[in-house]
Amino acid sequence: MASGFPGRDIRGGFGFGAGSAVQMQYQHRSDGGAVIGAAGLLKRSLTEMERQQQLQHAIFLRSVKQKTHFTSPSPISHMSSVDLSAASTTTASSILSSLSSASASAPFVGQGIPNSTTWSFQATIADAEIDSEKKSSMTNRLLELERQLLDDEEEEVSISGSAVTSNEWSETMEKLMSPPPPPPPMAAVPSPTTSTSSSSGSSSSCTPSSAAPSRQMLLDTATAITEGSQETAAANLAVLKRAANPRGDPDQRLTAMMVAALVSRINPVAPGSSIPLTDVCSAEHQAASHLLYEASPCFKFGLMAANLAILEATKDNPKIHIVDFDIGQGGQLASLIHAISERYVQRSPARPPPCVKITAVCPLQGNETTNLRIIGDRLAKLAERLGVGLRFRIVNGKIQELNHTTLLCEPGEALAVNFAFFLSRVADESVSTANPRDELLRRVKSLSPRIVTLVEQEMNGNTAPFATRFAEACAHFGALLESLDATAARDSTERARVEACLARKAANSIAREGVDRIERCEVYGKWRARMGMAGFNPVHLGSTVSELVKLRLSSLRNNPGFTLKEETACLGCGWMGRVLTVASAWR
């Protein structure tokens, strides 16, 4: 064809190319006319053919309103764009002319209107009889198209490219352009890009035992427990137990952890259903917590930010006194001693070595005091090797007894108080009218410390209702389990101990109430309000702290999702945008 756009035999459908109207293939006749492909049209009487020619001629000559507004792309997605040049009127009549005209002696021109305006309908009767049944459908489609155009002359129709957005016109064109036979209608055809995920999602919802169930079922179970619907809770737990796997992927591990906590919530006195309080305070739990701080960058960077804040506040003083209420296994203090030694070597090697005094506050006596002495001996040997003078002391006493004398404070020393994952384990006004948490803060404020560091998990797990507290626990521990996948092998012994520690934390937070609930985590906003009421002001951590933490974060290999969130007086470490720990400084 002169237009350069290939067509197809009418028996196989219509051919169309970008930027052109749809064209029909035709054959030359020896007399210069055109005969429709080998099929021809249905047999008609001479009167019908004359009426058809008159109808075609009337379509070409009639004046149709030009369309004046356009809409979004065509709803007929498989239809190519039509080239509408300046000389062409963008009308449905011209589109029909392009569809119904094809002459060898009058090829397509820029306007999209052929030179000849009539069809040659002199097809043989024999050809018409061969495919009469098949061509009857096509002829009816053409006649329907003509009637649509004649009826819609006065209707305002919006077009974009080649498609007219009138519903009837779109349906007619859809039928016309579809290759015969038309496909049967379908109730819903999923997108090629989403069919797999849709199928998998449907499968998951139907067979929760074959895939990790959604966390929504966990939340629904907690709601059912709150509302007293034990049957619903039991049915959900039966499904969740089949999906749980403490050695599977993070979702399966979370499900196992939360199911155990919910079962303990429903029946706390059943054998093996609840975790004894002694387990949350045991030496194994303390050791596993230390492994958590080492394995999770979120905890490690929180402790690192606290150490950097202490270094910044005590940088000009050779005598440093650190009061720590929970030294754990001594990992944070060991890192602090290393940092103090490095600063001394780099800044003032000619001066006497700094003197560091560590006071470990222990409210109880017994095995815990013995463990603290062992940790103190290790820290003393480390400090001696690094050239730092260290004195390590243990103070046993109640909160009400803490003062300058009992804590062995001395004039001229820079006092730093460290609350690393400790205050959330101290009861507040929701547990006791004595409010030990606020009492401790007031006692510390009376010491006039140079700096107070606070590191806590970011979770609303204190006074929130059970359902809200459970949802917070799901999100928090779920993100923790996902982050552990980036730092520890799933089958490692250390990770098993860490996750057992997390399971004890979750069970105590979810299943217990009152004085039996040991950990009562808060979000940073509540800590800020509580510290303010105790008389503390936030201390800006400074760019040095955030930059060093960022540097350590960037050194992690294959870091898929650890994030930092900076604010004026705090630094949040998290996973995939969810903050898990927050470090802050106060004075």
Side-chain angles (χ1 to χ4, degrees):
M1 296 181 181
S3 63
F5 296 96
R8 285 173 37 192
D9 192 304
I10 193 170
R11 291 170 294 180
F14 295 97
F16 26 87
S20 68
V22 183
Q23 306 169 31
M24 295 183 184
Q25 190 174 2
Y26 55 89
Q27 295 179 347
H28 293 292
R29 270 184 29 178
S30 58
D31 58 358
V35 179
I36 300 298
L41 294 174
L42 289 176
K43 179 167 61 178
R44 300 184 181 181
S45 65
L46 180 60
T47 302
E48 291 176 343
M49 288 189 291
E50 288 176 352
R51 290 176 57 191
Q52 177 67 21
Q53 290 178 352
Q54 293 174 359
L55 176 61
Q56 292 291 335
H57 187 63
I59 292 174
F60 298 144
L61 296 181
R62 68 188 302 159
S63 174
V64 181
K65 287 192 299 184
Q66 186 171 354
K67 277 61 182 179
T68 58
H69 61 278
F70 300 88
T71 62
S72 58
S74 168
I76 306 175
S77 58
H78 60 268
M79 186 173 181
S80 301
S81 300
V82 178
D83 184 12
L84 302 177
S85 61
S88 171
T89 58
T90 54
T91 64
S93 297
S94 64
I95 297 176
L96 177 62
S97 300
S98 300
L99 283 171
S100 59
S101 61
S103 173
S105 60
F108 243 56
V109 292
Q111 292 86 339
I113 302 178
N115 295 336
S116 174
T117 60
T118 58
W119 280 95
S120 175
F121 291 98
Q122 298 180 1
T124 61
I125 296 177
D127 288 339
E129 292 176 349
I130 293 175
D131 293 326
S132 60
E133 181 178 357
K134 187 175 183 179
K135 295 309 167 184
S136 176
S137 175
M138 183 58 65
T139 303
N140 291 336
R141 293 180 183 180
L142 288 173
L143 292 175
E144 176 65 18
L145 180 61
E146 294 169 1
R147 286 193 296 269
Q148 292 289 337
L149 291 171
L150 290 174
D151 294 338
D152 295 343
E153 174 188 3
E154 298 300 327
E155 180 182 354
E156 190 75 15
V157 181
S158 300
I159 63 173
S160 177
S162 64
V164 180
T165 59
S166 169
N167 290 337
E168 295 181 353
W169 165 248
S170 299
E171 292 174 2
T172 303
M173 288 299 297
E174 185 74 32
K175 294 178 181 179
L176 183 62
M177 301 307 298
S178 300
M186 300 182 66
V189 181
S191 169
T193 59
T194 60
S195 59
T196 302
S197 60
S198 299
S199 300
S200 63
S202 175
S203 175
S204 298
S205 62
C206 295
T207 58
S209 59
S210 63
S214 67
R215 295 186 186 180
Q216 186 61 43
M217 181 173 286
L218 287 169
L219 302 180
D220 292 342
T221 306
T223 302
I225 293 174
T226 302
E227 297 174 350
S229 180
Q230 300 298 330
E231 294 182 357
T232 301
N236 287 352
L237 287 173
V239 175
L240 292 167
K241 285 180 180 179
R242 293 195 297 269
N245 183 358
R247 295 296 176 264
D249 59 36
D251 281 338
Q252 292 172 322
R253 294 176 185 230
L254 176 67
T255 301
M257 186 182 299
M258 293 297 123
V259 165
L262 290 174
V263 170
S264 183
R265 174 83 181 190
I266 294 175
N267 190 6
V269 297
S273 65
S274 62
I275 297 177
L277 295 179
T278 54
D279 284 0
V280 185
C281 305
S282 64
E284 166 58 24
H285 187 77
Q286 294 291 334
S289 297
H290 176 71
L291 290 176
L292 171 64
Y293 303 157
E294 293 296 321
S296 172
C298 297
F299 287 83
K300 183 185 297 183
F301 291 156
L303 298 176
M304 178 183 175
N307 280 351
L308 291 172
I310 293 174
L311 288 172
E312 183 68 20
T314 61
K315 61 183 177 181
D316 298 326
N317 202 307
K319 297 175 64 176
I320 303 173
H321 185 187
I322 301 171
V323 176
D324 200 315
F325 287 83
D326 186 8
I327 68 173
Q329 299 297 307
Q332 181 187 5
L333 293 177
S335 299
L336 182 59
I337 293 172
H338 271 284
I340 292 174
S341 174
E342 292 176 1
R343 182 177 65 180
Y344 162 70
V345 173
Q346 294 175 0
R347 291 187 177 182
S348 55
R351 295 182 180 181
C355 179
V356 178
K357 181 171 61 178
I358 297 177
T359 299
V361 179
C362 177
L364 301 176
Q365 296 183 2
N367 293 334
E368 187 170 353
T369 301
T370 302
N371 293 333
L372 287 176
R373 289 196 181 100
I374 296 174
I375 295 170
D377 292 340
R378 294 174 182 171
L379 293 175
K381 292 178 181 178
L382 173 65
E384 182 180 2
R385 187 170 68 250
L386 296 175
V388 176
L390 177 65
R391 291 184 295 169
F392 185 87
R393 296 181 178 180
I394 302 174
V395 174
N396 300 110
K398 299 179 180 180
I399 292 178
Q400 296 81 359
E401 300 173 354
L402 298 180
N403 52 46
H404 284 87
T405 303
T406 57
L407 292 175
L408 306 175
C409 296
E410 299 176 2
E413 63 185 13
L415 178 62
V417 178
N418 183 45
F419 290 129
F421 305 109
F422 173 74
L423 278 183
S424 58
R425 297 167 65 91
V426 179
D428 64 356
E429 66 278 1
S430 65
V431 180
S432 170
T433 56
N435 196 355
R437 185 179 293 182
D438 285 354
E439 175 67 20
L440 175 59
L441 290 176
R442 286 192 294 267
R443 290 282 176 174
V444 170
K445 182 67 173 73
S446 66
L447 301 175
S448 301
R450 185 76 60 88
I451 191 76
V452 175
T453 54
L454 175 65
V455 187
E456 286 292 347
Q457 299 180 70
E458 181 75 355
M459 183 172 65
N460 186 15
N462 186 11
T463 58
F466 169 70
T468 302
R469 197 167 73 241
F470 180 80
E472 278 282 296
C474 280
H476 181 82
F477 289 105
L480 267 178
L481 291 173
E482 290 175 4
S483 68
L484 288 175
D485 259 7
T487 58
R490 291 185 177 180
D491 56 351
S492 70
T493 304
E494 291 76 11
R495 180 170 176 179
R497 292 181 65 189
V498 167
E499 293 187 358
C501 169
L502 294 177
R504 287 189 290 268
K505 290 174 177 286
N508 183 261
S509 175
I510 293 169
R512 297 291 184 142
E513 295 292 348
V515 295
D516 291 339
R517 181 144 54 91
I518 304 300
E519 285 202 356
R520 294 175 170 271
C521 299
E522 302 270 24
V523 294
Y524 173 69
K526 291 186 177 181
W527 287 120
R528 180 176 55 195
R530 189 176 295 274
M531 296 295 286
M533 288 188 295
F536 290 98
N537 296 315
V539 176
H540 193 278
L541 293 178
S543 59
T544 302
V545 175
S546 60
E547 291 301 326
L548 288 175
V549 175
K550 287 180 181 178
L551 184 63
R552 287 293 300 275
L553 180 62
S554 63
S555 66
L556 291 177
R557 294 183 179 180
N558 302 323
N559 171 21
F562 291 104
T563 57
L564 292 178
K565 181 180 179 181
E566 298 180 63
E567 291 189 11
T568 303
C570 72
L571 184 65
C573 305
W575 172 259
M576 293 297 183
R578 178 179 178 85
V579 178
L580 299 178
T581 62
V582 175
S584 58
W586 307 85
R587 180 180 296 121

